[in-house]
Amino acid sequence: MNAPIHPPAVAIGALVTLAVAVPAALLAQTLDATGRVEDDSAWLLVLFLVIVGAMVAGGYAAAVRRPDAPLTNSALAALSAYVLVQSVGIIRLLASGDSVTWAALPVFALLSAASGMTGGLYADHRARNPRR
């Protein structure tokens, strides 16, 4: 019996997520830190949606590489990217003496896994219902 977790599929999905989400997150941080936009700016919302879309795309990329376990691999791909980025961010915040909003971490971890699974569901749907 094959294991449902396929590390190459998870890695590719995580890389797809990181390729889109990291530049968007860095742009959002830069705009916010420099005061170019207000905290309630629509630009920050747009960039947040780009990040969520990146997790959906990463989940899709993982799921198409392992169609027998699309949700497991898609959730792990997006969650892996989230954990990597947040680990770097936490280290940076703690090293600079800033505070970490620990309560938000599990909420956004669930959001990332759910976003990845959305991409996995779409990949599974396409695999089961090919265009005619």
mmCIF file of all heavy atoms in Angstrom, residues 58-99:
data_model
loop_
_atom_site.group_PDB
_atom_site.id
_atom_site.type_symbol
_atom_site.label_atom_id
_atom_site.label_comp_id
_atom_site.label_asym_id
_atom_site.label_seq_id
_atom_site.Cartn_x
_atom_site.Cartn_y
_atom_site.Cartn_z
ATOM 1 N N GLY A 58 -0.860 26.320 -4.885
ATOM 2 C CA GLY A 58 0.088 25.324 -4.387
ATOM 3 C C GLY A 58 -0.603 24.014 -4.060
ATOM 4 O O GLY A 58 -0.066 22.926 -4.330
ATOM 5 N N GLY A 59 -1.785 24.105 -3.489
ATOM 6 C CA GLY A 59 -2.559 22.890 -3.216
ATOM 7 C C GLY A 59 -2.933 22.163 -4.498
ATOM 8 O O GLY A 59 -2.861 20.932 -4.571
ATOM 9 N N TYR A 60 -3.306 22.912 -5.504
ATOM 10 C CA TYR A 60 -3.630 22.314 -6.806
ATOM 11 C C TYR A 60 -2.405 21.620 -7.392
ATOM 12 O O TYR A 60 -2.483 20.486 -7.864
ATOM 13 C CB TYR A 60 -4.144 23.399 -7.759
ATOM 14 C CG TYR A 60 -4.478 22.871 -9.132
ATOM 15 C CD1 TYR A 60 -5.731 22.350 -9.394
ATOM 16 C CD2 TYR A 60 -3.538 22.891 -10.163
ATOM 17 C CE1 TYR A 60 -6.048 21.851 -10.649
ATOM 18 C CE2 TYR A 60 -3.844 22.398 -11.416
ATOM 19 C CZ TYR A 60 -5.101 21.877 -11.654
ATOM 20 O OH TYR A 60 -5.409 21.377 -12.898
ATOM 21 N N ALA A 61 -1.258 22.300 -7.328
ATOM 22 C CA ALA A 61 -0.024 21.725 -7.880
ATOM 23 C C ALA A 61 0.352 20.433 -7.173
ATOM 24 O O ALA A 61 0.830 19.489 -7.807
ATOM 25 C CB ALA A 61 1.115 22.743 -7.777
ATOM 26 N N ALA A 62 0.143 20.365 -5.879
ATOM 27 C CA ALA A 62 0.444 19.134 -5.132
ATOM 28 C C ALA A 62 -0.558 18.035 -5.470
ATOM 29 O O ALA A 62 -0.176 16.872 -5.649
ATOM 30 C CB ALA A 62 0.443 19.416 -3.634
ATOM 31 N N ALA A 63 -1.824 18.396 -5.568
ATOM 32 C CA ALA A 63 -2.872 17.401 -5.773
ATOM 33 C C ALA A 63 -2.797 16.740 -7.138
ATOM 34 O O ALA A 63 -3.063 15.538 -7.255
ATOM 35 C CB ALA A 63 -4.240 18.040 -5.573
ATOM 36 N N VAL A 64 -2.438 17.479 -8.167
ATOM 37 C CA VAL A 64 -2.381 16.862 -9.501
ATOM 38 C C VAL A 64 -1.221 15.869 -9.603
ATOM 39 O O VAL A 64 -1.232 15.004 -10.471
ATOM 40 C CB VAL A 64 -2.280 17.909 -10.636
ATOM 41 C CG1 VAL A 64 -3.520 18.774 -10.684
ATOM 42 C CG2 VAL A 64 -1.034 18.746 -10.532
ATOM 43 N N ARG A 65 -0.252 15.982 -8.709
ATOM 44 C CA ARG A 65 0.875 15.049 -8.714
ATOM 45 C C ARG A 65 0.599 13.805 -7.875
ATOM 46 O O ARG A 65 1.357 12.860 -7.917
ATOM 47 C CB ARG A 65 2.126 15.760 -8.223
ATOM 48 C CG ARG A 65 2.670 16.671 -9.295
ATOM 49 C CD ARG A 65 3.598 17.733 -8.764
ATOM 50 N NE ARG A 65 4.123 18.537 -9.855
ATOM 51 C CZ ARG A 65 3.456 19.492 -10.476
ATOM 52 N NH1 ARG A 65 2.222 19.752 -10.133
ATOM 53 N NH2 ARG A 65 4.007 20.183 -11.445
ATOM 54 N N ARG A 66 -0.456 13.816 -7.106
ATOM 55 C CA ARG A 66 -0.839 12.653 -6.304
ATOM 56 C C ARG A 66 -2.359 12.556 -6.256
ATOM 57 O O ARG A 66 -2.986 12.843 -5.249
ATOM 58 C CB ARG A 66 -0.248 12.776 -4.908
ATOM 59 C CG ARG A 66 -0.341 11.505 -4.087
ATOM 60 C CD ARG A 66 0.449 10.377 -4.753
ATOM 61 N NE ARG A 66 0.125 9.114 -4.162
ATOM 62 C CZ ARG A 66 0.929 8.484 -3.312
ATOM 63 N NH1 ARG A 66 2.067 9.004 -2.956
ATOM 64 N NH2 ARG A 66 0.563 7.327 -2.837
ATOM 65 N N PRO A 67 -2.993 12.140 -7.390
ATOM 66 C CA PRO A 67 -4.452 12.157 -7.460
ATOM 67 C C PRO A 67 -5.150 11.162 -6.533
ATOM 68 O O PRO A 67 -6.344 11.294 -6.296
ATOM 69 C CB PRO A 67 -4.744 11.848 -8.931
ATOM 70 C CG PRO A 67 -3.507 11.254 -9.472
ATOM 71 C CD PRO A 67 -2.374 11.752 -8.648
ATOM 72 N N ASP A 68 -4.409 10.181 -5.987
ATOM 73 C CA ASP A 68 -5.061 9.246 -5.074
ATOM 74 C C ASP A 68 -5.188 9.807 -3.655
ATOM 75 O O ASP A 68 -5.910 9.243 -2.837
ATOM 76 C CB ASP A 68 -4.317 7.910 -5.048
ATOM 77 C CG ASP A 68 -2.889 8.042 -4.566
ATOM 78 O OD1 ASP A 68 -2.251 9.067 -4.870
ATOM 79 O OD2 ASP A 68 -2.405 7.109 -3.895
ATOM 80 N N ALA A 69 -4.487 10.895 -3.358
ATOM 81 C CA ALA A 69 -4.592 11.546 -2.044
ATOM 82 C C ALA A 69 -4.474 13.055 -2.214
ATOM 83 O O ALA A 69 -3.556 13.677 -1.687
ATOM 84 C CB ALA A 69 -3.510 11.014 -1.110
ATOM 85 N N PRO A 70 -5.408 13.662 -2.945
ATOM 86 C CA PRO A 70 -5.252 15.081 -3.265
ATOM 87 C C PRO A 70 -5.366 16.010 -2.058
ATOM 88 O O PRO A 70 -4.630 16.986 -1.966
ATOM 89 C CB PRO A 70 -6.369 15.352 -4.279
ATOM 90 C CG PRO A 70 -7.404 14.320 -3.978
ATOM 91 C CD PRO A 70 -6.634 13.105 -3.530
ATOM 92 N N LEU A 71 -6.261 15.713 -1.145
ATOM 93 C CA LEU A 71 -6.481 16.632 -0.030
ATOM 94 C C LEU A 71 -5.327 16.605 0.971
ATOM 95 O O LEU A 71 -4.917 17.648 1.479
ATOM 96 C CB LEU A 71 -7.801 16.331 0.665
ATOM 97 C CG LEU A 71 -9.047 16.497 -0.205
ATOM 98 C CD1 LEU A 71 -10.301 16.218 0.588
ATOM 99 C CD2 LEU A 71 -9.091 17.866 -0.833
ATOM 100 N N THR A 72 -4.807 15.432 1.232
ATOM 101 C CA THR A 72 -3.681 15.319 2.168
ATOM 102 C C THR A 72 -2.482 16.093 1.656
ATOM 103 O O THR A 72 -1.879 16.901 2.379
ATOM 104 C CB THR A 72 -3.300 13.842 2.359
ATOM 105 O OG1 THR A 72 -4.439 13.137 2.840
ATOM 106 C CG2 THR A 72 -2.149 13.689 3.323
ATOM 107 N N ASN A 73 -2.125 15.862 0.407
ATOM 108 C CA ASN A 73 -0.942 16.506 -0.152
ATOM 109 C C ASN A 73 -1.145 17.993 -0.384
ATOM 110 O O ASN A 73 -0.220 18.787 -0.187
ATOM 111 C CB ASN A 73 -0.528 15.787 -1.440
ATOM 112 C CG ASN A 73 0.033 14.421 -1.128
ATOM 113 O OD1 ASN A 73 1.155 14.292 -0.669
ATOM 114 N ND2 ASN A 73 -0.756 13.385 -1.352
ATOM 115 N N SER A 74 -2.340 18.387 -0.761
ATOM 116 C CA SER A 74 -2.592 19.820 -0.992
ATOM 117 C C SER A 74 -2.578 20.594 0.326
ATOM 118 O O SER A 74 -2.011 21.691 0.400
ATOM 119 C CB SER A 74 -3.909 20.015 -1.735
ATOM 120 O OG SER A 74 -4.998 19.496 -0.998
ATOM 121 N N ALA A 75 -3.171 20.031 1.371
ATOM 122 C CA ALA A 75 -3.157 20.701 2.673
ATOM 123 C C ALA A 75 -1.733 20.805 3.201
ATOM 124 O O ALA A 75 -1.323 21.853 3.708
ATOM 125 C CB ALA A 75 -4.031 19.942 3.666
ATOM 126 N N LEU A 76 -0.962 19.736 3.077
ATOM 127 C CA LEU A 76 0.417 19.752 3.564
ATOM 128 C C LEU A 76 1.293 20.721 2.780
ATOM 129 O O LEU A 76 2.201 21.333 3.347
ATOM 130 C CB LEU A 76 1.011 18.349 3.527
ATOM 131 C CG LEU A 76 0.584 17.432 4.658
ATOM 132 C CD1 LEU A 76 1.127 16.022 4.444
ATOM 133 C CD2 LEU A 76 1.039 17.982 5.990
ATOM 134 N N ALA A 77 1.042 20.862 1.492
ATOM 135 C CA ALA A 77 1.834 21.793 0.679
ATOM 136 C C ALA A 77 1.651 23.227 1.157
ATOM 137 O O ALA A 77 2.626 23.940 1.414
ATOM 138 C CB ALA A 77 1.454 21.667 -0.797
ATOM 139 N N ALA A 78 0.406 23.643 1.291
ATOM 140 C CA ALA A 78 0.133 25.019 1.738
ATOM 141 C C ALA A 78 0.578 25.217 3.182
ATOM 142 O O ALA A 78 1.164 26.254 3.524
ATOM 143 C CB ALA A 78 -1.348 25.339 1.576
ATOM 144 N N LEU A 79 0.333 24.231 4.025
ATOM 145 C CA LEU A 79 0.726 24.338 5.424
ATOM 146 C C LEU A 79 2.250 24.373 5.572
ATOM 147 O O LEU A 79 2.778 25.121 6.396
ATOM 148 C CB LEU A 79 0.135 23.181 6.229
ATOM 149 C CG LEU A 79 0.307 23.241 7.735
ATOM 150 C CD1 LEU A 79 -0.322 24.498 8.311
ATOM 151 C CD2 LEU A 79 -0.298 22.000 8.374
ATOM 152 N N SER A 80 2.955 23.613 4.763
ATOM 153 C CA SER A 80 4.424 23.625 4.804
ATOM 154 C C SER A 80 4.974 24.998 4.437
ATOM 155 O O SER A 80 5.896 25.496 5.087
ATOM 156 C CB SER A 80 4.998 22.576 3.847
ATOM 157 O OG SER A 80 4.617 21.294 4.231
ATOM 158 N N ALA A 81 4.405 25.600 3.415
ATOM 159 C CA ALA A 81 4.841 26.941 3.022
ATOM 160 C C ALA A 81 4.561 27.933 4.147
ATOM 161 O O ALA A 81 5.407 28.778 4.471
ATOM 162 C CB ALA A 81 4.138 27.366 1.735
ATOM 163 N N TYR A 82 3.394 27.826 4.755
ATOM 164 C CA TYR A 82 3.028 28.719 5.859
ATOM 165 C C TYR A 82 3.998 28.559 7.028
ATOM 166 O O TYR A 82 4.481 29.552 7.580
ATOM 167 C CB TYR A 82 1.595 28.439 6.308
ATOM 168 C CG TYR A 82 1.209 29.191 7.557
ATOM 169 C CD1 TYR A 82 0.875 30.533 7.499
ATOM 170 C CD2 TYR A 82 1.203 28.561 8.798
ATOM 171 C CE1 TYR A 82 0.538 31.240 8.648
ATOM 172 C CE2 TYR A 82 0.871 29.255 9.944
ATOM 173 C CZ TYR A 82 0.540 30.590 9.861
ATOM 174 O OH TYR A 82 0.220 31.281 11.001
ATOM 175 N N VAL A 83 4.279 27.325 7.407
ATOM 176 C CA VAL A 83 5.163 27.071 8.546
ATOM 177 C C VAL A 83 6.563 27.611 8.266
ATOM 178 O O VAL A 83 7.196 28.219 9.140
ATOM 179 C CB VAL A 83 5.189 25.570 8.891
ATOM 180 C CG1 VAL A 83 6.322 25.233 9.849
ATOM 181 C CG2 VAL A 83 3.854 25.136 9.479
ATOM 182 N N LEU A 84 7.043 27.430 7.054
ATOM 183 C CA LEU A 84 8.373 27.938 6.700
ATOM 184 C C LEU A 84 8.425 29.465 6.818
ATOM 185 O O LEU A 84 9.322 30.015 7.462
ATOM 186 C CB LEU A 84 8.759 27.498 5.289
ATOM 187 C CG LEU A 84 10.105 28.009 4.790
ATOM 188 C CD1 LEU A 84 11.234 27.412 5.611
ATOM 189 C CD2 LEU A 84 10.271 27.675 3.324
ATOM 190 N N VAL A 85 7.460 30.134 6.225
ATOM 191 C CA VAL A 85 7.450 31.601 6.256
ATOM 192 C C VAL A 85 7.262 32.111 7.678
ATOM 193 O O VAL A 85 7.956 33.043 8.113
ATOM 194 C CB VAL A 85 6.352 32.155 5.315
ATOM 195 C CG1 VAL A 85 6.155 33.641 5.520
ATOM 196 C CG2 VAL A 85 6.711 31.863 3.863
ATOM 197 N N GLN A 86 6.359 31.504 8.414
ATOM 198 C CA GLN A 86 6.119 31.969 9.777
ATOM 199 C C GLN A 86 7.308 31.694 10.686
ATOM 200 O O GLN A 86 7.587 32.487 11.592
ATOM 201 C CB GLN A 86 4.855 31.332 10.354
ATOM 202 C CG GLN A 86 3.593 31.873 9.746
ATOM 203 C CD GLN A 86 3.509 33.389 9.803
ATOM 204 O OE1 GLN A 86 3.773 34.006 10.827
ATOM 205 N NE2 GLN A 86 3.142 34.007 8.694
ATOM 206 N N SER A 87 8.016 30.596 10.468
ATOM 207 C CA SER A 87 9.210 30.314 11.269
ATOM 208 C C SER A 87 10.253 31.404 11.084
ATOM 209 O O SER A 87 10.838 31.896 12.060
ATOM 210 C CB SER A 87 9.797 28.955 10.891
ATOM 211 O OG SER A 87 8.880 27.932 11.174
ATOM 212 N N VAL A 88 10.475 31.786 9.841
ATOM 213 C CA VAL A 88 11.420 32.876 9.562
ATOM 214 C C VAL A 88 10.922 34.177 10.193
ATOM 215 O O VAL A 88 11.696 34.920 10.809
ATOM 216 C CB VAL A 88 11.639 33.035 8.045
ATOM 217 C CG1 VAL A 88 12.437 34.288 7.725
ATOM 218 C CG2 VAL A 88 12.316 31.797 7.469
ATOM 219 N N GLY A 89 9.639 34.451 10.049
ATOM 220 C CA GLY A 89 9.069 35.671 10.617
ATOM 221 C C GLY A 89 9.157 35.708 12.136
ATOM 222 O O GLY A 89 9.473 36.751 12.722
ATOM 223 N N ILE A 90 8.901 34.596 12.790
ATOM 224 C CA ILE A 90 8.976 34.541 14.254
ATOM 225 C C ILE A 90 10.408 34.766 14.716
ATOM 226 O O ILE A 90 10.652 35.529 15.658
ATOM 227 C CB ILE A 90 8.430 33.191 14.767
ATOM 228 C CG1 ILE A 90 6.913 33.155 14.598
ATOM 229 C CG2 ILE A 90 8.811 32.960 16.229
ATOM 230 C CD1 ILE A 90 6.300 31.790 14.817
ATOM 231 N N ILE A 91 11.354 34.121 14.050
ATOM 232 C CA ILE A 91 12.767 34.309 14.413
ATOM 233 C C ILE A 91 13.162 35.775 14.246
ATOM 234 O O ILE A 91 13.821 36.359 15.108
ATOM 235 C CB ILE A 91 13.661 33.377 13.579
ATOM 236 C CG1 ILE A 91 13.433 31.930 14.002
ATOM 237 C CG2 ILE A 91 15.130 33.757 13.717
ATOM 238 C CD1 ILE A 91 14.034 30.906 13.074
ATOM 239 N N ARG A 92 12.733 36.382 13.139
ATOM 240 C CA ARG A 92 13.052 37.791 12.895
ATOM 241 C C ARG A 92 12.433 38.696 13.954
ATOM 242 O O ARG A 92 13.089 39.608 14.478
ATOM 243 C CB ARG A 92 12.566 38.193 11.498
ATOM 244 C CG ARG A 92 12.945 39.616 11.099
ATOM 245 C CD ARG A 92 12.349 40.019 9.759
ATOM 246 N NE ARG A 92 10.908 39.981 9.715
ATOM 247 C CZ ARG A 92 10.098 40.934 10.222
ATOM 248 N NH1 ARG A 92 10.610 41.981 10.817
ATOM 249 N NH2 ARG A 92 8.799 40.826 10.110
ATOM 250 N N LEU A 93 11.174 38.449 14.290
ATOM 251 C CA LEU A 93 10.503 39.274 15.307
ATOM 252 C C LEU A 93 11.156 39.124 16.676
ATOM 253 O O LEU A 93 11.389 40.117 17.376
ATOM 254 C CB LEU A 93 9.016 38.907 15.400
ATOM 255 C CG LEU A 93 8.132 39.381 14.253
ATOM 256 C CD1 LEU A 93 6.740 38.776 14.371
ATOM 257 C CD2 LEU A 93 8.059 40.891 14.221
ATOM 258 N N LEU A 94 11.434 37.905 17.077
ATOM 259 C CA LEU A 94 12.041 37.688 18.387
ATOM 260 C C LEU A 94 13.452 38.255 18.455
ATOM 261 O O LEU A 94 13.854 38.812 19.480
ATOM 262 C CB LEU A 94 12.051 36.194 18.723
ATOM 263 C CG LEU A 94 10.671 35.567 18.958
ATOM 264 C CD1 LEU A 94 10.800 34.072 19.180
ATOM 265 C CD2 LEU A 94 9.950 36.237 20.108
ATOM 266 N N ALA A 95 14.201 38.145 17.362
ATOM 267 C CA ALA A 95 15.567 38.679 17.337
ATOM 268 C C ALA A 95 15.575 40.201 17.428
ATOM 269 O O ALA A 95 16.496 40.793 17.998
ATOM 270 C CB ALA A 95 16.289 38.223 16.071
ATOM 271 N N SER A 96 14.543 40.839 16.881
ATOM 272 C CA SER A 96 14.487 42.304 16.927
ATOM 273 C C SER A 96 13.771 42.830 18.172
ATOM 274 O O SER A 96 13.632 44.036 18.337
ATOM 275 C CB SER A 96 13.818 42.842 15.664
ATOM 276 O OG SER A 96 12.461 42.463 15.639
ATOM 277 N N GLY A 97 13.303 41.923 19.022
ATOM 278 C CA GLY A 97 12.644 42.341 20.254
ATOM 279 C C GLY A 97 11.172 42.663 20.101
ATOM 280 O O GLY A 97 10.554 43.171 21.035
ATOM 281 N N ASP A 98 10.613 42.401 18.942
ATOM 282 C CA ASP A 98 9.186 42.650 18.729
ATOM 283 C C ASP A 98 8.363 41.491 19.286
ATOM 284 O O ASP A 98 8.873 40.397 19.530
ATOM 285 C CB ASP A 98 8.890 42.830 17.240
ATOM 286 C CG ASP A 98 9.477 44.107 16.681
ATOM 287 O OD1 ASP A 98 9.658 45.061 17.456
ATOM 288 O OD2 ASP A 98 9.759 44.144 15.469
ATOM 289 N N SER A 99 7.081 41.729 19.440
ATOM 290 C CA SER A 99 6.210 40.682 19.969
ATOM 291 C C SER A 99 5.623 39.845 18.836
ATOM 292 O O SER A 99 5.474 40.311 17.712
ATOM 293 C CB SER A 99 5.092 41.286 20.811
ATOM 294 O OG SER A 99 4.275 42.089 19.994
#
